[in-house]
Amino acid sequence: MTHKNIPRNSSIDRRTALGLLSGGLAALAGCSGGLSDSSDGGDGSAGPPEEQSDYIEETSIEIVENGRQLALEVAVTDEIEPSSVSIITESGREFVSDYFSPGETRTRLSLTEGEDSNEPLPRGQHTLYLRGDNVETKLPLELGTTFEFEEVIPGAEHPDFVDGSLAVVVRNVGKRTDAASQTLLNGEEKSNRFVPVKPSETAVVKFDFLLEDHGGNCRRVDERGEIVEIDQALTVNFLWSDSVTVSLPIRYDDTSGCKRSLAGEPEEITATPAETET
């Protein structure tokens, strides 16, 4: 087993956590020669683990390690003596495992791996595997939700953005928490940062320097320096959900190409479903 050294917190604050996996961790308990949970289901209709398991009190997703790593925090009841908990991927690979110290009832499991790459847990129907004194429980673990495009906001209209930036607003219309992880401009990476989005909430995902380039990397749009409009494809990628892509016409307002403006309404492009791990 691998043991990721992720900072722990003695308590979980529901207000600051990225949100419970409400409906995201459908629970189905298994028993192997010991105590068993009272849970049933497994068809995606069951609630989060703490509602389906006698042993799990709470689960939450948190951003740790300077915002570049995600962790699933699991709190178990003090009525049992837990020994370890693991995430087993859909393909049967152990993604991460951690051990409980004597008297300890909560731990964090990394949802990303690789010290530099921070690759997320692959998309799919995985398993949360809890073991302890006379306890062996398996809970289906599925991450991912559905996002919808809402609007585009120029940076000048947002109090936290610089004037030359542009923001794409997306809404989580599903039942699970996920995080925007990457922005792409015409298929090329623009930025890479986690922006958490809880169910029923929106996220404002920023594209830096799209309307004005302050770094001197300006270019003429054609040989004659004519003022033209160009459709740009703005994509927001998520860790476990389908991407959101919009086509947006941008007008180049001078021959240098440094200053640009919106030239029309954005149009959402149908997303290509993400692949499940095989």
Side-chain angles (χ1 to χ4, degrees):
M1 295 184 181
T2 57
H3 182 176
K4 278 258 187 171
N5 185 21
I6 300 176
R8 294 183 181 152
N9 193 330
S10 60
S11 64
I12 300 177
D13 187 342
R14 290 177 179 267
R15 295 172 298 178
T16 59
L18 299 189
L20 299 177
L21 303 180
S22 177
L25 304 181
L28 174 63
C31 176
S32 176
L35 301 176
S36 64
D37 280 335
S38 60
S39 60
D40 53 18
D43 58 359
S45 62
E50 56 268 32
E51 295 180 3
Q52 301 299 320
S53 171
D54 292 339
Y55 311 131
I56 297 180
E57 290 189 337
E58 192 172 30
T59 56
S60 66
I61 291 181
E62 297 186 33
I63 292 181
V64 294
E65 297 293 338
N66 298 320
R68 293 305 309 143
Q69 192 177 73
L70 287 176
L72 175 68
E73 186 156 354
V74 180
V76 301
T77 175
D78 58 7
E79 296 177 359
I80 65 171
E81 295 182 8
S83 60
S84 66
V85 62
S86 305
I87 293 177
I88 309 299
T89 69
E90 186 176 48
S91 64
R93 175 173 69 94
E94 183 177 83
F95 186 81
V96 65
S97 182
D98 202 3
Y99 296 91
F100 293 86
S101 299
E104 188 177 45
T105 58
R106 65 179 68 237
T107 189
R108 284 180 176 174
L109 293 174
S110 177
L111 294 176
T112 52
E113 64 179 351
E115 294 182 0
D116 298 323
S117 60
N118 291 308
E119 290 294 325
L121 176 70
R123 190 175 181 179
Q125 297 179 350
H126 310 305
T127 300
L128 187 67
Y129 185 20
L130 174 65
R131 285 145 293 187
D133 186 16
N134 295 321
V135 172
E136 187 174 359
T137 301
K138 296 179 180 180
L139 308 172
L141 171 63
E142 184 175 0
L143 304 174
T145 184
T146 301
F147 287 92
E148 290 183 353
F149 165 73
E150 288 215 336
E151 62 178 328
V152 166
I153 301 176
E157 298 179 12
H158 194 283
D160 298 328
F161 295 168
V162 296
D163 291 350
S165 64
L166 193 72
V168 173
V169 181
V170 293
R171 178 176 293 276
N172 184 345
V173 297
K175 297 180 179 180
R176 305 181 181 107
T177 296
D178 202 343
S181 59
Q182 185 185 54
T183 59
L184 304 175
L185 178 62
N186 300 321
E188 296 184 3
E189 182 176 319
K190 187 73 174 178
S191 66
N192 196 325
R193 63 172 72 94
F194 286 149
V195 179
V197 197
K198 299 178 184 179
S200 301
E201 293 190 357
T202 60
V204 182
V205 184
K206 183 172 61 171
F207 286 75
D208 294 311
F209 311 124
L210 188 58
L211 296 182
E212 183 173 357
D213 195 327
H214 298 282
N217 297 317
C218 306
R219 63 178 178 84
R220 298 173 67 89
V221 295
D222 62 19
E223 294 180 355
R224 296 168 295 177
E226 293 183 355
I227 299 174
V228 298
E229 296 177 4
I230 298 178
D231 287 336
Q232 307 278 11
L234 280 63
T235 299
V236 180
N237 285 340
F238 303 91
L239 291 178
W240 301 290
S241 306
D242 292 343
S243 301
V244 170
T245 299
V246 296
S247 177
L248 185 66
I250 300 292
R251 178 181 176 85
Y252 286 73
D253 294 330
D254 62 11
T255 56
S256 71
C258 289
K259 293 185 178 180
R260 307 146 204 156
S261 62
L262 299 181
E265 295 298 322
E267 179 180 353
E268 185 172 6
I269 300 174
T270 303
T272 301
E275 294 184 358
T276 299
E277 182 192 29
T278 58

